Amino acid sequence: MNTNKDSVFLEMAYGLAEKAKGWSSPNPYVGAIIVKKGTIVGTGFHDKPGNPHAEVIALQKAGSLARNATAYITLEPCVHWGRTPPCVDSLIQAGIKRVVVSALDPNPLVHKKGIQKMRQAGIQVSVGLLEEKNARLNEIYNKYIQQKIPFVTAKVAASLDGKVATKTHDSKWITSRQTREYAHLLRGEHMAIMVGINTLLKDDPRLTIRHPLWKKKQLIRVIIDSRLRFPLEAKLFRLESKGKILVFTHQSQTSRKAQELRKKGVEVVSVRSSRSGRLDLNKILAWLGQNEISSVMVEGGALLLTSLLENQLIDKIFITLSTKLIGGENAPTFFEGKGFSTVAQAMRLRNTNCFTIGKDIILEGYL
């Protein structure tokens, strides 16, 4: 085994897997390369649910050259029938001699079973090279497949003093055009976008993706609206083709407003209250997971972000800071609520990454 050479080919496989970002959910991002005598004879990645998996595409391209070749795969091959046949069977039938797998699949239907079946068939298998790379690439899939709830990313645009709007609730635009374009790039990596009703009432956003990489992608648009204040003239209704609209509410699905919204193509979902009397966000995330929505990007407002933070329901956050100072005692910040009594109790971001776009500062971290 030549670890350096294996790393090079696996890195290439990861390059292929990343092409599926934002498209293959709720399935994982997977890339595969078939190599024979140092030459790449087949490549593939899984682009969309229902389409062939990475290994199958790579084997088809390799044809008869796959016999006695080495397969480099970013994630453990599946052993079960889903929308497509088991990839392990295809590797065995093709006569692959050796398989380098970067990471095990956390899906209980697959976990270690794919490795075991290949070894039983006489294939040499090594596992774990560049495993940390897979953990980051497939963070959405890993959470979804194990917990059956979406991976939640929050995006905040704030001034340097932490304000998300002025005291008159003006928020256009705190960050630069380039930073807003980056936010649309991030949107495209998720299946759904979520906002609270106050954001919808104040900003009347379209909640679409406006980025050249995602021209044909539709986001599921999720509105948290306990009292069904959703305006029937909202811009979202002019863009029905841009994605499904979901509204979570306390109100009965048989109310007049719910019926009016349904006539406009909205799916209204009634959810019980939490102890605080607000909509139970845990139940909302569970409903989304049950309906195969594996990732959600939350973009406001302050009440929704605060509730998610207080309930520890955010996995990852992007805080985009402009170099402006807004001030104002009554100007909202993105994390309000009761707050902590001591600095020692405060939330701390993990695995942070900081970079700039123009004059704006972008802080990425995990909670």
Side-chain angles (χ1 to χ4, degrees):
M1 181 175 69
N2 187 324
T3 303
N4 290 335
K5 188 181 290 185
D6 287 346
S7 294
V8 170
F9 287 126
L10 260 187
E11 288 282 7
M12 292 180 183
Y14 272 110
L16 291 169
E18 288 170 355
K19 291 184 177 183
K21 259 194 167 185
W23 293 109
S24 67
S25 294
N27 293 349
Y29 304 133
V30 184
I33 288 180
I34 311 296
V35 177
K36 189 164 189 177
K37 297 180 180 178
T39 300
I40 296 174
V41 295
T43 62
F45 68 94
H46 176 57
D47 61 349
K48 291 181 182 178
N51 285 358
H53 288 187
E55 303 92 317
V56 172
I57 295 171
L59 289 169
Q60 288 173 348
K61 291 180 180 178
S64 61
L65 293 175
R67 184 159 297 279
N68 293 321
T70 298
Y72 293 88
I73 311 169
T74 59
L75 190 68
E76 180 180 12
C78 62
V79 294
H80 64 295
W81 277 86
R83 297 178 184 176
T84 58
C87 292
V88 165
D89 292 351
S90 298
L91 290 163
I92 294 170
Q93 291 165 10
I96 289 289
K97 183 178 181 180
R98 178 173 175 250
V99 176
V100 179
V101 173
S102 184
L104 295 172
D105 191 333
N107 187 341
L109 294 173
V110 181
H111 188 66
K112 294 185 178 181
K113 297 180 178 70
I115 304 300
Q116 182 182 16
K117 190 168 183 179
M118 287 189 292
R119 285 175 174 161
Q120 288 174 343
I123 297 175
Q124 301 171 32
V125 183
S126 60
V127 186
L129 190 61
L130 303 182
E131 187 175 14
E132 68 288 345
K133 195 177 184 82
N134 197 283
R136 182 64 180 267
L137 176 65
N138 278 312
E139 60 189 10
I140 289 173
Y141 169 76
N142 290 342
K143 180 189 177 183
Y144 172 70
I145 205 67
Q146 293 179 88
Q147 299 183 36
K148 300 303 180 187
I149 58 174
F151 186 93
V152 180
T153 303
K155 195 279 295 180
V156 176
S159 62
L160 205 55
D161 53 343
K163 306 295 185 180
V164 293
T166 68
K167 61 185 179 181
T168 62
H169 297 285
D170 177 40
S171 59
K172 292 186 177 180
W173 297 101
I174 292 176
T175 53
S176 67
R177 179 184 58 79
Q178 293 90 337
T179 299
R180 296 196 299 275
E181 185 175 317
Y182 177 68
H184 280 273
L185 182 66
L186 292 176
R187 281 184 184 183
E189 295 180 2
H190 297 77
M191 291 186 71
I193 183 169
M194 178 188 289
V195 297
I197 185 59
N198 288 333
T199 296
L200 189 68
L201 292 171
K202 290 170 186 173
D203 299 339
D204 196 14
R206 288 177 281 177
L207 302 180
T208 56
I209 308 173
R210 298 182 293 282
H211 192 283
L213 285 180
W214 310 108
K215 285 183 179 178
K216 296 182 180 180
K217 176 153 186 182
Q218 295 185 351
L219 282 175
I220 297 167
R221 294 168 287 174
V222 181
I223 314 298
I224 309 302
D225 182 8
S226 61
R227 290 181 286 145
L228 276 190
R229 292 184 290 153
F230 197 127
L232 297 174
E233 67 280 2
K235 285 181 183 176
L236 270 68
F237 294 126
R238 303 174 211 166
L239 299 161
E240 293 90 349
S241 62
K242 292 294 183 179
K244 182 177 183 177
I245 301 172
L246 283 172
V247 175
F248 290 91
T249 184
H250 283 316
Q251 304 301 308
S252 168
Q253 292 186 23
T254 59
S255 71
R256 179 183 295 179
K257 186 62 174 289
Q259 291 173 355
E260 290 174 335
L261 288 170
R262 274 200 293 273
K263 286 178 182 177
K264 287 181 169 286
V266 177
E267 182 169 356
V268 180
V269 182
S270 296
V271 180
R272 291 181 181 177
S273 304
S274 62
R275 290 181 180 178
S276 67
R278 296 176 179 172
L279 288 174
D280 192 323
L281 294 170
N282 285 287
K283 286 186 170 64
I284 290 172
L285 292 178
W287 189 97
L288 294 173
Q290 289 165 7
N291 286 273
E292 296 191 330
I293 298 171
S294 63
S295 58
V296 177
M297 188 162 182
V298 181
E299 294 199 18
L303 283 175
L304 177 58
L305 287 165
T306 295
S307 294
L308 288 165
L309 285 165
E310 287 181 336
N311 287 282
Q312 299 181 336
L313 295 175
I314 292 176
D315 299 292
K316 186 177 185 178
I317 190 166
F318 287 87
I319 304 173
T320 66
L321 293 169
S322 76
T323 51
K324 299 167 184 167
L325 295 169
I326 290 177
E329 187 177 348
N330 296 320
T333 62
F334 69 88
F335 187 22
E336 298 180 337
K338 295 179 180 179
F340 297 99
S341 300
T342 66
V343 173
Q345 294 174 322
M347 289 184 184
R348 185 183 296 273
L349 298 186
R350 301 176 291 103
N351 303 327
T352 55
N353 178 37
C354 191
F355 55 97
T356 60
I357 298 177
K359 294 181 180 180
D360 293 337
I361 302 162
I362 316 297
L363 177 64
E364 171 190 5
Y366 294 82
L367 289 155

